[in-house]
Amino acid sequence: MAKVKFHIASQTELVLDQEAQVGDVIDLTDEQNIDTSIVNGKIADILEEKVAQAREEWLAQQAKQAAAELENQLQAQKQTMQAQVNEKAQKIVALETTLAHVKEQNTAELQSQLVKKDLDIQDTIAKKEAEIAQLEAKIDAVKEQNAAELQSQLVKKDLDIQDTIAKKEAEIAQLQAKIDAVKQQGQAELETALVKKDADVQSELATRDQKLTELTSQLALKEQKQQLELASVQNQFEAQLKTAQEQVEFYKDFKARQSTKEIGESLEQYAMTEFNKIRSYAFPNAYFEKDNTLSETNSKGDFIFRDYQDDLEFISIMFDMKNEADTTATKHKNADFFKELDKDRREKNTEYAVLVSMLEADSDLYNTGIVQVPNYEKMYVIRPQFFIQFIGVLRNAALNTVAYKQELAQVREQNIDITHFESDLTNFKTAFGKNYQSAATNFKKAIDEIDKSIARMEAVKKALTTSENQLRLANNKLEDVSVKKLTKNNPTMKAKFDATLEE
């Protein structure tokens, strides 16, 4: 029989650590491998249960104690409140008793005061009635006295009124007499004035009748004259109309016989001829020539007009002439040429652009004479017959601005002079700056070269100094050389020198 080793795995399990046979002994007292955590856990559970139970018992005891204390407090408060209630009830009984006593006393006093007050009121009423009776007696006396005085005053007033009425009636009679006299005098004067006025009116009517007769005769003469003038004007108009129709027919025939180029050139020739007719006296300083110079965009107008005063250009106009045959299939419009004309005006630097056009012959707009083109600056469309007149209008309007343009030109010249001065000053500054920069650069280069030369001389000086030191050391060494030193540690040379010295 042997002891078997084991260990406890749990509260209900025991595990053998070696083989065992029947009859082997398990000694629990010798077990060293007991799992204390299980035991400790069990102990902890038991302790926790005991603590929880003790805590519940303590809480129950505390609750009972608190309930007892609360009951005691409630009982004490109840007793205190009961005592207060009893005290209040006693006070209420005392107050009710006092109130009943005071009420009885006040009732007696009030009754006494009411009786006394009633007596006082009766006495006062009696006194007031006596006073009222006295006042009524006085009023009656005053009424009687006032009635007598009023009657006396009324009688006196009536007499005064009667006297005043008599005086007023006398004054009225006097005034009526005066009025009658004035009326009679005014009637006489009025009749005299009416007679005189009637005579004047008759004279004026006679004069006016005479003037009316004269005016009637003059009007008749004027009507006859107007009829004659109207007939003459009508005849002249018919003659002019006939001439115009003949010119239109001639012009149509002329255009029908011309080529497209000739039609355009004929309008240009017309403009040149019309201008040259009055150039010498109307535009002595003006420039008016064909525009033969192509612009950068290979475009040009027909004529350029420029006028000058004191060598100052005060107006410039670009003209473009447009015409076409009546039988042309594709009719052009004036608006087709606005953009090109505006471009020519800007490129040739002219102030105005004028399209002299015979296009759109049936247009009421362009047949009015001079039309300003919207959306284009200083552009106009005119018929050829207004060519010279329109130049004159623009020129005369521009003459008013000559003084301002001269002042502007002077200011521009001053600005140009200032600009030239500033430009010259800038050029001088630039040239001076370049020269200064070049001189400064060369000076710096010279300084650098001098510094380099100094550095090289310093190097040469240092080398020479080093050579001098080396030569000095060499000289010192040379002076220190002797036969004794040369033959030291050299027996062969020492023997030779000794032999030489002995010989």
Side-chain angles (χ1 to χ4, degrees), residues 76-94:
Q77 289 181 359
K78 186 176 180 181
Q79 292 176 359
T80 303
M81 291 177 67
Q82 186 64 39
Q84 292 177 356
V85 168
N86 294 333
E87 185 179 357
K88 296 293 183 183
Q90 292 176 1
K91 288 182 178 180
I92 289 170
V93 171

Side-chain angles (χ1 to χ4, degrees), residues 291-323:
D291 182 17
N292 295 320
T293 305
L294 291 175
S295 64
E296 295 178 356
T297 58
N298 294 325
S299 177
K300 65 184 182 67
D302 288 330
F303 290 99
I304 293 179
F305 172 84
R306 300 182 188 275
D307 204 353
Y308 301 86
Q309 183 169 332
D310 298 331
D311 297 329
L312 174 66
E313 179 184 309
F314 64 90
I315 185 173
S316 57
I317 308 172
M318 168 66 72
F319 286 100
D320 197 10
M321 309 294 178
K322 294 300 175 185
N323 191 10

Side-chain angles (χ1 to χ4, degrees), residues 41 49 53 61 99 132 159 204 289 347 409 411 416 423 454 499:
E49 290 178 0
Q53 185 178 1
Q61 185 179 0
L99 180 61
I132 290 169
L159 294 174
E204 183 69 22
E289 298 295 339
E347 291 179 350
V411 172
I416 290 172
S423 177
I454 291 172

Side-chain angles (χ1 to χ4, degrees), residues 34-277:
I34 297 174
D35 191 356
T36 58
S37 61
I38 298 171
V39 177
N40 292 334
K42 187 65 176 177
I43 293 171
D45 293 339
I46 294 170
L47 289 174
E48 187 176 355
E49 290 178 0
K50 293 292 185 181
V51 170
Q53 185 178 1
R55 184 171 178 274
E56 290 177 357
E57 291 176 356
W58 181 80
L59 289 174
Q61 185 179 0
Q62 290 294 324
K64 289 180 180 180
Q65 185 177 357
E69 291 178 357
L70 182 61
E71 183 67 24
N72 293 333
Q73 291 177 0
L74 290 174
Q75 192 67 29
Q77 289 181 359
K78 186 176 180 181
Q79 292 176 359
T80 303
M81 291 177 67
Q82 186 64 39
Q84 292 177 356
V85 168
N86 294 333
E87 185 179 357
K88 296 293 183 183
Q90 292 176 1
K91 288 182 178 180
I92 289 170
V93 171
L95 289 172
E96 287 178 350
T97 304
T98 304
L99 180 61
H101 180 68
V102 170
K103 188 175 181 181
E104 291 176 356
Q105 184 178 359
N106 289 337
T107 301
E109 291 179 356
L110 181 61
Q111 188 67 27
S112 174
Q113 290 177 0
L114 288 174
V115 172
K116 185 178 179 181
K117 191 69 175 177
D118 190 14
L119 294 174
D120 293 338
I121 290 170
Q122 293 295 332
D123 187 17
T124 302
I125 290 171
K127 290 180 179 179
K128 293 297 181 183
E129 288 178 351
E131 291 177 358
I132 290 169
Q134 292 177 1
L135 289 173
E136 287 178 351
K138 288 181 179 180
I139 289 170
D140 293 337
V142 169
K143 282 182 178 180
E144 292 177 358
Q145 184 179 359
N146 289 337
E149 292 177 357
L150 182 61
Q151 186 66 29
S152 174
Q153 290 176 359
L154 288 174
V155 172
K156 185 178 180 182
K157 190 68 175 176
D158 190 14
L159 294 174
D160 293 338
I161 290 171
Q162 293 294 332
D163 188 16
T164 302
I165 290 171
K167 290 180 180 179
K168 294 297 181 182
E169 287 179 352
E171 291 177 358
I172 289 170
Q174 292 177 0
L175 290 173
Q176 188 66 38
K178 290 180 179 180
I179 289 169
D180 293 338
V182 170
K183 281 183 178 180
Q184 292 176 359
Q185 183 179 359
Q187 186 69 26
E189 292 177 354
L190 181 61
E191 290 177 355
T192 304
L194 288 174
V195 171
K196 185 178 180 181
K197 188 67 175 177
D198 190 18
D200 293 339
V201 169
Q202 293 296 330
S203 175
E204 183 69 22
L205 288 174
T207 304
R208 290 189 177 184
D209 289 339
Q210 184 179 358
K211 288 183 179 180
L212 182 60
T213 303
E214 292 176 356
L215 290 173
T216 303
S217 61
Q218 291 177 2
L219 181 60
L221 292 175
K222 284 185 178 181
E223 288 178 352
Q224 293 177 359
K225 186 177 180 180
Q226 285 179 354
Q227 289 178 357
L228 293 174
E229 290 177 353
L230 181 60
S232 175
V233 169
Q234 187 173 1
N235 293 330
Q236 292 178 1
F237 176 75
E238 290 176 354
Q240 291 177 358
L241 180 61
K242 184 178 180 181
T243 303
Q245 289 176 349
E246 291 176 353
Q247 289 179 353
V248 169
E249 293 297 330
F250 171 78
Y251 178 70
K252 287 182 178 180
D253 181 65
F254 175 73
K255 288 202 295 183
R257 288 185 287 106
Q258 284 183 318
S259 64
T260 303
K261 181 178 180 182
E262 289 174 341
I263 290 173
E265 290 179 351
S266 64
L267 186 56
E268 294 176 8
Q269 187 63 39
Y270 166 80
M272 179 63 77
T273 302
E274 291 296 316
F275 186 83
N276 288 332
K277 286 180 182 179

Side-chain angles (χ1 to χ4, degrees), residues 267-376:
L267 186 56
E268 294 176 8
Q269 187 63 39
Y270 166 80
M272 179 63 77
T273 302
E274 291 296 316
F275 186 83
N276 288 332
K277 286 180 182 179
I278 60 172
R279 180 196 286 265
S280 59
Y281 60 89
F283 307 105
N285 300 322
Y287 167 89
F288 182 77
E289 298 295 339
K290 285 185 65 64
D291 182 17
N292 295 320
T293 305
L294 291 175
S295 64
E296 295 178 356
T297 58
N298 294 325
S299 177
K300 65 184 182 67
D302 288 330
F303 290 99
I304 293 179
F305 172 84
R306 300 182 188 275
D307 204 353
Y308 301 86
Q309 183 169 332
D310 298 331
D311 297 329
L312 174 66
E313 179 184 309
F314 64 90
I315 185 173
S316 57
I317 308 172
M318 168 66 72
F319 286 100
D320 197 10
M321 309 294 178
K322 294 300 175 185
N323 191 10
E324 64 183 2
D326 296 335
T327 58
T328 303
T330 304
K331 298 290 185 181
H332 289 92
K333 294 184 178 295
N334 291 318
D336 298 339
F337 304 96
F338 291 161
K339 184 176 181 180
E340 187 71 17
L341 178 58
D342 184 67
K343 181 171 69 68
D344 292 338
R345 179 186 72 84
R346 295 179 184 277
E347 291 179 350
K348 297 302 173 66
N349 194 25
T350 58
E351 184 177 0
Y352 294 94
V354 178
L355 179 64
V356 183
S357 171
M358 294 188 68
L359 306 179
E360 300 183 60
D362 297 332
S363 173
D364 293 334
L365 173 64
Y366 295 113
N367 288 336
T368 56
I370 300 172
V371 178
Q372 185 174 4
V373 180
N375 302 325
Y376 288 95

